[in-house]
């Protein structure tokens, strides 16, 4: 049997294993080791495995992941979601749908210190849902806005998904973070526009609340300075190149820890919980990373990625048709699995294909642009049925709202996502302008 | 991992409780290591900008101790079944049938963990014989590996325990609340 065939069979077996509830990391490890052995031989595999695990876990480019996760878990205990939502509500709550807009704005602001969608949705949901319901917002709009707003946690850098992407394609994390900023702002504005349209069509869905007076407005800003400061120091430092993402994550973890202790009332139990959460989120990510590493070593031996890329290159398809095909596949996969696993399984095949096609961009810019497209598309899976995780998280907080209503509430935001992804695909400059300006 | 999911996965028997406590303690140690690394990075960055004096070899320390921390996380992840699965095609299955599949997945993980632990032991010998030290310190690379191996042994025990549980559920001896939360 040819190595290519072994590669293809391996890919098929991987999909079957994942479909029958074998943990994704374990599936990749199992197929990766057996495939590696059948192509390169047993002794080669055994020698590879001696240090593979040690080196995969012991690299400074991956140490950024637990640090960013820790920063997010401390930020969740810093009481800043409450402050962010109150401040946004004081400024825009009196518009039609204003409180839902405030929730989205709060998610965006929280997204600048958190790299996780679920955490952002859950944290903001706990604060904003009771308020939204108190002002008689419809269940669909309230839960839909929060589920969609949660995706801003990962769309707006820092973003764990972008870090993993950067590692897979050997791209520059800093440039990817810079590139992700404008599309993140665009997503926020798109969601706010969606809320405005929904509450114009159906004023009952998002009634305006009384206007906050000037004193209240300024007072509300007093409590958000910590987020602003952390954002300016951590992301400002990373964007401007004063420090590396790893250093930014370390500084951010310490800063959010201090805010959580001083303002968030975090005590020993909160600290232990944050450490345990850091451990379980990092643990599950690194098991998948280890699996992806072994699986990709096997795929590399099989030459399947190169072969596929060559086929696409010679097929004479328009590059944009290929890109649209991948986007469609991501939308389907997004209904089945989480964004991280999706990226780890597909990028080793997809990136060589994209790199071999001519989009009129330099290789570095192509890497950035494709990364932002991928990030935007895989996050849509978080709010689409049947397994939109954000939808489940928010719906579990809103006991009186049926799941179907939440999924219906998400539809306007999906439309907004479609517009945004089209813009990002049609105009690469949206993603590329910030890295171009900053690194010129 | 939500509190509820952790609650559902909480074992009722003595062995399970002991394992959960052990793996939890290990994970907290790893979390503390990450916290100390964050502190070290902060001190190093400040030192670099204020006094042009970063901590010597900060990135080496960061890499090696992140590695130590990650190994401590895996057993806890397994005990609370925090690893990511796809439940799309199987969501309507009876719990006992799901448990058969889960037992299969856990068995695969067990084999992999044993093979990797065995190879890591030889990797440690290789690192020791090569006498590799991390740059800027006389810190031998293999020094942290015995602790990694300890974590792997705890991981194997945790996998064994979950495998026994899966088999028990599959044979409908006990009923479990839905475990296996997914992650996004």
């Amino acid at each position: 049997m040819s190595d290519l065939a072994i590669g293809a069979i391996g890919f098929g077996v991987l999909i079957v294993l994942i479909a029958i509830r074998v943990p994704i990391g374990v599936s990749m490890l199992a197929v990766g080791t057996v495939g590696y052995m059948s192509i390169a031989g047993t002794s080669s595999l055994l020698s590879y495995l001696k240090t593979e695990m040690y080196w995969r876990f012991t690299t400074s480019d991956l140490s950024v992941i637990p640090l960013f996760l820790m920063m997010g878990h401390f930020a969740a205990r810093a009481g800043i979601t409450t402050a962010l939502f109150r401040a946004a509500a004081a400024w825009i709550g009196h518009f039609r749908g204003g409180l839902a807009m405030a929730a989205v704005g709060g998610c965006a602001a929280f997204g600048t210190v958190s790299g996780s969608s679920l955490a952002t949705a859950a944290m903001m949901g706990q604060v904003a849902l009771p308020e939204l319901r108190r002002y008689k917002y419809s269940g669909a709009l309230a839960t839909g806005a929060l589920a969609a707003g949660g995706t801003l946690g990962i769309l707006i850098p820092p973003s764990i998904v972008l870090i993993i992407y950067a590692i897979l394609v050997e791209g520059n994390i800093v440039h990817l973070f810079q590139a992700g900023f404008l599309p993140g702002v665009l997503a926020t504005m798109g969601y706010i526009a969606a809320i405005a349209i929904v509450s114009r069509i159906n004023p009952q869905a998002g009634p305006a609340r009384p206007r906050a007076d000037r004193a209240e407005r300024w007072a509300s800003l007093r409590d958000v300075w910590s987020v602003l400061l952390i954002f300016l120091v951590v992301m400002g430092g990373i964007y401007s190149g004063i420090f590396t993402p790893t250093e930014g994550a370390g500084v951010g973890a310490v800063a959010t820890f201090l805010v959580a202790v001083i303002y968030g009332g975090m005590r020993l139990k909160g600290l232990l919980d944050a450490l345990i959460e850091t451990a379980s989120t990092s643990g599950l990510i690194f098991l998948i990373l280890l699996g992806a590493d072994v699986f990709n070593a096997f795929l590399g031996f099989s030459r399947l990625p190169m072969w596929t890329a060559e086929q696409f290159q010679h097929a004479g398809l328009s590059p944009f048709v290929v890109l649209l095909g991948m986007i469609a596949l991501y939308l389907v996969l997004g209904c089945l699995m989480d964004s991280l696993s999706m990226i780890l399984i597909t990028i080793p095949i997809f990136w060589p294909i994209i790199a071999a096609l001519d989009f009129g961009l330099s290789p570095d810019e192509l890497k950035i642009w494709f990364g932002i497209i991928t990030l935007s598309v895989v996050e849509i899976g978080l709010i689409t049925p049947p397994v939109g995780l954000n939808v489940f998280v928010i719906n579990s907080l809103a006991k009186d709202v049926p799941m179907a209503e939440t999924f219906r509430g998400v539809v306007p935001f999906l439309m907004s996502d479609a517009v945004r992804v089209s813009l990002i695909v049609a105009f690469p400059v949206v993603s590329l302008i910030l890295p171009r300006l900053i690194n010129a | 991992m939500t509190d509820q999911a952790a609650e559902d996965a909480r074992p009722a028997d003595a062995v399970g409780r002991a394992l959960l406590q052990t793996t939890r303690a290990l994970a907290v140690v790893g979390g503390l290591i990450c916290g100390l690394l964050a502190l070290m990075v902060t001190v190093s960055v400040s030192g670099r900008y204020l006094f042009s004096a970063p901590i010597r070899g900060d990135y080496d320390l960061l890499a090696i101790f992140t590695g130590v921390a990650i190994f401590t996380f895996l057993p806890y992840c397994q005990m609370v079944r925090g690893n990511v699965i796809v439940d799309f095609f199987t969501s309507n299955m009876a719990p006992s049938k799901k448990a058969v599949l889960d037992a299969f997945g856990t068995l695969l993980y067990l084999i992999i963990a044993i093979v990797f632990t065995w190879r890591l032991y030889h990797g440690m010998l290789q690192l020791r014989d090569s006498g590799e030290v991390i740059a800027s310190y006389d810190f031998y690379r293999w020094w942290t590996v015995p602790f990694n191996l300890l974590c792997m042994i705890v991981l194997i025990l945790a996998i064994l325990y979950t495998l026994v549980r899966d088999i028990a559920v599959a044979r409908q001896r006990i009923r479990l609340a839905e475990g296996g939360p997914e992650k996004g």
Side-chain angles (χ1 to χ4, degrees):
Chain A
M1 195 165 23
S2 75
D3 293 350
L4 267 182
I6 296 177
I9 293 171
F11 215 88
V13 174
L14 177 73
I15 291 167
V16 171
L17 287 182
I18 290 175
I20 60 166
R21 291 175 65 92
V22 177
I24 291 178
V26 174
S27 306
M28 288 196 278
L29 281 168
V31 176
T33 43
V34 173
Y36 193 117
M37 193 167 66
S38 33
I39 295 179
T42 311
S43 62
S44 166
L45 172 79
L46 290 182
S47 129
Y48 165 71
L49 290 184
K50 266 196 225 176
T51 47
E52 159 61 19
M53 199 171 185
Y54 176 82
W55 287 115
R56 180 70 309 191
F57 293 170
T58 311
T59 46
S60 54
D61 60 342
L62 289 183
S63 53
V64 65
I65 295 173
L67 292 181
F68 264 129
L69 289 170
M70 180 172 266
M71 174 179 169
H73 291 307
F74 283 142
R77 289 176 170 73
I80 52 186
T81 36
T82 314
L84 286 172
F85 177 67
R86 290 220 179 108
W91 287 84
I92 57 176
H94 60 283
F95 291 115
R96 224 179 254 162
L99 277 185
M101 295 177 188
V104 165
C107 284
F110 191 66
T112 63
V113 295
S114 169
S116 154
S117 283
L118 287 182
T120 305
M123 293 308 301
M124 194 50 76
Q126 279 163 15
V127 178
L129 261 180
E131 286 290 296
L132 288 164
R133 299 303 270 163
R134 194 150 70 88
Y135 284 95
K136 304 273 181 277
Y137 273 60
S138 77
L141 181 61
T143 52
L146 282 163
T151 65
L152 297 172
I154 210 152
L155 288 173
I156 296 178
S159 158
I160 300 293
V161 170
L162 270 189
I163 294 173
I164 305 280
Y165 172 84
I167 290 165
L168 283 174
V169 303
E170 293 170 0
N172 183 320
I173 297 182
V174 178
H175 293 182
L176 279 159
F177 275 9
Q178 293 164 346
F181 189 74
L182 265 190
V185 171
L186 204 62
T188 313
M189 295 192 315
Y191 290 162
I192 288 178
I195 296 167
I197 294 169
V198 169
S199 38
R200 177 160 287 275
I201 296 171
N202 177 11
Q204 302 293 317
R209 69 158 208 184
R211 185 184 285 268
D213 63 36
R214 186 177 297 234
E216 251 178 279
R217 286 188 177 181
W218 289 107
S220 74
L221 290 185
R222 224 177 26 215
D223 298 327
V224 300
W225 66 269
S226 59
V227 185
L228 192 66
L229 187 69
I230 292 169
F231 168 71
L232 285 179
V233 171
V234 174
M235 294 317 287
I238 294 174
Y239 285 144
S240 62
I242 292 177
F243 39 66
T244 65
T246 310
E247 291 166 347
V251 172
V254 171
T256 47
F257 169 77
L258 291 176
V259 176
V261 170
I262 299 171
Y263 297 97
M266 184 176 78
R267 295 296 171 259
L268 187 63
K269 177 164 188 321
L271 173 64
L272 283 179
D273 287 348
L275 293 180
I276 285 283
E277 281 168 22
T278 307
S280 46
T281 44
S282 305
L284 74 92
I285 289 178
F286 274 84
L287 183 68
I288 299 176
L289 280 173
L290 178 70
D293 215 37
V294 176
F295 183 71
N296 288 333
F298 152 59
L299 273 191
F301 274 122
S302 78
R303 297 196 20 52
L304 187 66
M306 286 85 90
W307 180 83
T308 321
E310 280 162 19
Q311 300 312 305
F312 272 94
Q313 208 174 5
H314 296 139
L317 290 168
S318 146
F320 279 92
V321 170
V322 177
L323 182 63
L324 289 180
M326 287 180 185
I327 291 175
L329 192 62
Y330 275 135
L331 290 176
V332 174
L333 281 179
C335 299
L336 311 179
M337 59 169 80
D338 69 289
S339 40
L340 199 66
S341 312
M342 221 152 83
I343 284 195
L344 281 163
I345 291 170
T346 56
I347 290 296
I349 300 273
F350 282 7
W351 170 244
I353 297 176
I354 290 291
L357 297 172
D358 182 16
F359 287 91
L361 292 170
S362 73
D364 280 338
E365 294 204 325
L366 184 61
K367 230 174 237 182
I368 294 175
W369 178 57
F370 184 60
I372 301 300
I373 294 175
T374 308
L375 173 72
S376 311
V377 179
V378 297
E379 282 315 301
I380 293 177
L382 282 172
I383 53 172
T384 48
V387 287
L389 290 180
N390 276 12
V391 174
F392 286 121
V393 166
I394 292 298
N395 192 267
S396 70
L397 293 175
K399 302 270 180 257
D400 56 330
V401 182
M403 187 68 83
E405 198 177 331
T406 304
F407 274 120
R408 209 165 44 241
V410 158
V411 172
F413 300 97
L414 284 175
M415 292 180 187
S416 156
D417 278 341
V419 173
R420 173 171 47 94
V421 170
S422 314
L423 284 175
I424 293 171
V425 170
F427 304 104
V429 69
V430 175
S431 314
L432 297 175
I433 187 159
L434 268 189
R436 276 182 192 164
L437 286 177
I438 298 176
N439 309 308
Chain B
M1 162 113 321
T2 60
D3 289 347
Q4 190 52 49
E7 208 60 50
D8 288 344
R10 188 142 296 167
D13 54 308
V15 179
R17 273 199 306 271
L19 265 173
L20 185 66
Q21 270 162 11
T22 311
T23 55
R24 214 181 122 90
L26 263 185
V28 169
V29 168
L32 280 176
I33 292 175
C34 284
L36 291 175
L37 289 175
L39 199 61
M40 180 200 74
V41 167
T42 308
V43 171
S44 186
V45 171
S46 321
R48 192 172 72 208
Y49 280 94
L50 299 178
F51 316 108
S52 301
I55 291 176
R56 194 159 52 102
D58 52 352
Y59 269 75
D60 288 324
L61 293 173
L62 186 63
I64 199 157
F65 285 103
T66 302
V68 171
I70 303 299
F71 275 98
T72 67
F73 296 159
L74 298 180
Y76 178 74
C77 251
Q78 180 61 21
M79 272 314 278
V80 297
R81 296 174 183 271
N83 287 317
V84 189
I85 62 158
V86 170
D87 192 28
F88 176 72
F89 301 100
T90 50
S91 52
N92 291 325
M93 260 185 199
S96 62
K97 284 191 181 143
K98 276 191 195 182
V100 174
L101 295 178
D102 288 343
F104 172 67
T106 312
L107 180 65
L108 279 184
Y109 194 16
L110 181 66
I111 297 169
I112 289 164
I114 291 172
V115 170
F116 273 68
T117 307
W118 167 51
R119 294 326 294 165
L120 183 64
Y121 171 73
H122 286 278
M124 176 183 74
L125 299 182
Q126 186 178 314
L127 279 174
R128 190 195 61 188
D129 294 343
S130 72
E132 197 179 331
V133 290
I134 61 171
S136 49
Y137 290 93
D138 284 337
F139 189 99
Y140 285 95
R141 269 209 181 279
W142 72 272
W143 282 358
T144 57
V145 189
F147 184 65
N148 299 345
L149 280 169
L150 177 75
C151 296
M152 288 302 287
I153 289 167
V154 178
L155 173 65
I156 292 173
L157 293 177
I159 301 174
L160 262 176
Y161 174 79
T162 45
L163 180 62
V164 171
R165 296 275 287 185
D166 284 339
I167 293 171
V169 177
R171 300 172 77 179
Q172 297 187 310
R173 293 250 172 88
I174 49 172
R175 293 196 180 277
L176 262 193
E178 284 297 285
E182 290 150 90
K183 285 279 143 41

